[in-house]
Amino acid sequence: MSKFKHDLLLRLIKLVDAVLMTIPFALCWYLYYSDRTASPFDEKSNLIVVLLFLVLFIIFGRIYDAFMMSIQRISEIVYAQFLAVAVSDLIIYVVICLLSKGLTNLLPGMAALVGQIILAFLWAYLAHHGYYATFPAKRTAIIYDVRRGFEKLIGKYGLDGKYDVVLTLCAEDCLKDLSVLDGIETVFASGIHSHDRNIILKYCIEHSINMFVIPRIGDVIMSGARHMHMFHLPMLTVSRYMASPEYLLAKRIIDTIVSALGLIVLSPILLVTAIAIKATDHGPVFYKQVRLTKNGREFNIFKFRSMCVDAEKDGVARLSTGDKDDRITPVGRIIRACRIDELPQLINILKGDLSIVGPRPERPEIAAQYCEEMPEFNLRLQAKAGLTGYAQVYGKYNTTPYDKLVMDLMYIAHPSIIVDFKIMFATVKILFLPESTEGVAEGQATTMTENEVTVAAEKKSENDDDVAV
């Protein structure tokens, strides 16, 4: 099957899903809500409301990766579908309440949500199994340099049914004879020098081979380059954090509004948490910690205290070693699991120390350790630090500091309010996924030691990169 037909079929399958999710809502709207608004809707207006839900579901489905039947497990697809329909239903419910000039009965909407979840499971199951039954696994090659073992990830994430790894080769051997890629449909380039990678890339493009590249820091910086013409020549211009004044102003307004509303809406949770912490060991409710934000400026970040008062009495900065860390209090375990300990950072956002979206602020001592192996780590300080960020949404607890740095630089390279909103909504997806918790997994404190050789190798190869990325 040609790539065009393959992509067209996938789009049709995704459209079927969007229509299926819309059917329960449409029934709920036509049978109950449409006649109970302040101004009953005509047929045209009813259709607009249904189409609005369809558009919302498609938007949030893309944000939560709800349509990725080929690369996600069924459980992951259903979870993403649930989030997409739940957020879409919630938005429509708010609109209905505004039209009705008051709170309306939520039960019909909940019944529609149950129907949507059932249909989501059926679609996910059929689409996932149907995809692998229809499309045979692609003949795949892994070309590596400093990053080895990528083929293990394919099996770990259950993608061996999509990618059949028939060739694993170091870049040096591949460059000696590029014809070894003949008959290959997909290539994964893992940690290859940009000069060598570009040679392989050109060969793949010429021979219609799909190629996935793990970007390097230089690649990410260049991805934010602005295209222009000078001296009758094509040019790419790159500078330090090219965010426009309009973007920064809009971002600050959004930060102020969202943090203020968040503090008001969440005030009952904040109060109960404060009382629980104080009643447990009579220590301070909040924990202040020095962090770094834009241009290396230090500020005190606020968190609910989740550890004993003298957790770092020796003055040495340490990352948590996970649930078995005996420094964590009983209340601390609960608020960490629910991410409640992070909520006081809304105060930092309101003050202007933090943004809602940006690279997570690091402690000066930990940042200094990272910079010993990765001087580029300071490039994260081009933008204001954030409560959530690209690395928090798309990384995991065991994602290496180097890869988290690359993710943060990907965000910095493309400043956009749309991207900010996407990350904000995507953050909801990780709230109930324990593997995404920042720095709480056992062994996290030794990340730098375990990855020292890899990072050093990548750092060296980064310095050797060809400038024509």
Side-chain angles (χ1 to χ4, degrees):
M1 181 182 292
S2 66
K3 188 177 187 303
F4 174 79
K5 291 182 179 180
H6 172 273
D7 292 344
L8 179 61
L9 181 57
L10 290 184
R11 290 179 183 275
L12 289 175
I13 294 174
K14 295 173 183 178
L15 181 60
V16 168
D17 175 46
V19 172
L20 285 175
M21 295 301 103
T22 305
I23 291 175
F25 168 78
L27 291 174
C28 178
W29 172 259
Y30 278 105
L31 296 178
Y32 187 84
Y33 288 114
S34 64
D35 294 331
R36 289 172 172 78
T37 58
S39 300
F41 279 37
D42 56 25
E43 193 60 36
K44 182 178 180 181
S45 299
N46 285 332
L47 182 60
I48 290 175
V49 173
V50 173
L51 289 177
L52 174 60
F53 174 86
L54 177 65
V55 171
L56 286 173
F57 175 73
I58 292 174
I59 291 174
F60 287 105
R62 292 174 64 88
I63 289 175
Y64 295 125
D65 295 329
F67 306 119
M68 308 297 286
M69 82 286 284
S70 65
I71 63 174
Q72 293 200 35
R73 298 180 179 90
I74 294 176
S75 59
E76 294 172 332
I77 299 173
V78 173
Y79 177 56
Q81 295 261 325
F82 165 74
L83 289 175
V85 296
V87 174
S88 302
D89 286 340
L90 179 61
I91 292 175
I92 295 294
Y93 178 75
V94 172
V95 172
I96 292 174
C97 290
L98 292 175
L99 293 173
S100 304
K101 299 180 180 179
L103 294 177
T104 60
N105 188 358
L106 188 58
L107 291 179
M110 296 299 294
L113 179 60
V114 171
Q116 289 167 328
I117 294 173
I118 294 173
L119 290 175
F121 177 79
L122 291 174
W123 180 85
Y125 181 85
L126 294 174
H128 183 80
H129 287 283
Y131 179 89
Y132 286 102
T134 303
F135 303 109
K138 299 180 182 296
R139 290 174 55 83
T140 301
I142 308 293
I143 309 300
Y144 64 87
D145 192 343
V146 298
R147 301 181 68 134
R148 304 186 181 187
F150 189 86
E151 62 278 4
K152 297 178 182 178
L153 290 177
I154 293 178
K156 179 180 178 181
Y157 283 85
L159 294 178
D160 41 359
K162 183 174 183 178
Y163 301 109
D164 178 21
V165 180
V166 297
L167 178 65
T168 301
L169 198 64
C170 70
E172 182 180 357
D173 291 338
C174 181
L175 291 171
K176 291 178 181 178
D177 182 13
L178 290 172
S179 65
V180 297
L181 299 179
D182 293 347
I184 296 294
E185 298 173 272
T186 301
V187 168
F188 285 93
S190 179
I192 305 177
H193 295 252
S194 60
H195 177 269
D196 297 343
R197 183 205 58 214
N198 288 345
I199 295 175
I200 299 172
L201 173 63
K202 294 170 187 175
Y203 187 88
C204 289
I205 296 298
E206 182 181 356
H207 292 81
S208 301
I209 301 172
N210 193 31
M211 186 169 178
F212 292 91
V213 178
I214 298 178
R216 307 173 66 81
I217 290 176
D219 300 330
V220 175
I221 293 175
M222 288 300 297
S223 72
R226 182 166 59 90
H227 296 202
M228 61 179 296
H229 296 279
M230 185 182 292
F231 312 119
H232 299 287
L233 295 171
M235 290 278 184
L236 294 176
T237 175
V238 183
S239 61
R240 182 179 177 86
Y241 192 45
M242 298 182 292
S244 66
E246 296 82 7
Y247 164 75
L248 294 176
L249 176 61
K251 186 177 177 71
R252 180 58 189 151
I253 292 174
I254 294 170
D255 287 343
T256 303
I257 294 174
V258 173
S259 59
L261 289 176
L263 287 170
I264 294 172
V265 173
L266 298 171
S267 56
I269 297 177
L270 297 173
L271 180 60
V272 170
T273 303
I275 293 174
I277 294 174
K278 193 68 176 178
T280 301
D281 60 5
H282 308 291
V285 171
F286 296 107
Y287 176 65
K288 293 193 298 183
Q289 194 177 72
V290 177
R291 297 287 181 103
L292 300 176
T293 186
K294 187 175 181 179
N295 296 325
R297 183 175 70 84
E298 295 185 355
F299 73 100
N300 285 318
I301 197 170
F302 296 107
K303 300 179 70 174
F304 278 126
R305 183 172 57 84
S306 61
M307 290 188 175
C308 56
V309 177
D310 58 351
E312 292 182 350
K313 59 184 177 181
D314 57 0
V316 179
R318 295 185 183 88
L319 292 174
S320 171
T321 56
D323 292 336
K324 296 181 179 179
D325 194 325
D326 56 9
R327 298 176 298 168
I328 302 176
T329 64
V331 173
R333 297 185 190 282
I334 297 174
I335 63 176
R336 280 185 169 222
C338 301
R339 312 304 204 271
I340 294 175
D341 61 320
E342 306 285 350
L343 292 183
Q345 291 171 43
L346 292 172
I347 299 173
N348 291 113
I349 296 174
L350 196 60
K351 290 176 58 181
D353 294 327
L354 279 179
S355 180
I356 295 175
V357 181
R360 280 297 291 161
E362 192 53 83
R363 303 175 67 174
E365 301 89 343
I366 303 298
Q369 294 178 29
Y370 288 154
C371 286
E372 289 181 5
E373 294 297 335
M374 296 181 294
E376 300 91 346
F377 191 79
N378 277 331
L379 294 177
R380 301 168 74 254
L381 301 178
Q382 296 176 77
K384 184 185 291 186
L387 176 63
T388 185
Y390 199 102
Q392 280 62 51
V393 170
Y394 298 106
K396 294 179 65 176
Y397 72 87
N398 55 357
T399 301
T400 66
Y402 182 89
D403 290 326
K404 286 186 176 180
L405 170 60
V406 171
M407 291 180 186
D408 286 330
L409 293 179
M410 289 175 70
Y411 168 76
I412 291 173
H414 301 279
S416 165
I417 290 296
I418 294 177
V419 172
D420 282 358
F421 274 113
K422 182 177 180 180
I423 292 176
M424 277 189 263
F425 282 109
T427 300
V428 177
K429 183 177 181 180
I430 67 170
L431 290 179
F432 307 103
L433 300 177
E435 68 270 17
S436 63
T437 304
E438 181 186 16
V440 299
E442 184 175 4
Q444 178 70 12
T446 60
T447 298
M448 283 301 295
T449 302
E450 293 172 355
N451 291 283
E452 196 172 53
V453 176
T454 300
V455 172
E458 291 181 344
K459 175 66 180 67
K460 180 181 183 300
S461 60
E462 185 72 39
N463 292 334
D464 296 337
D465 277 353
D466 190 323
V467 294
V469 177

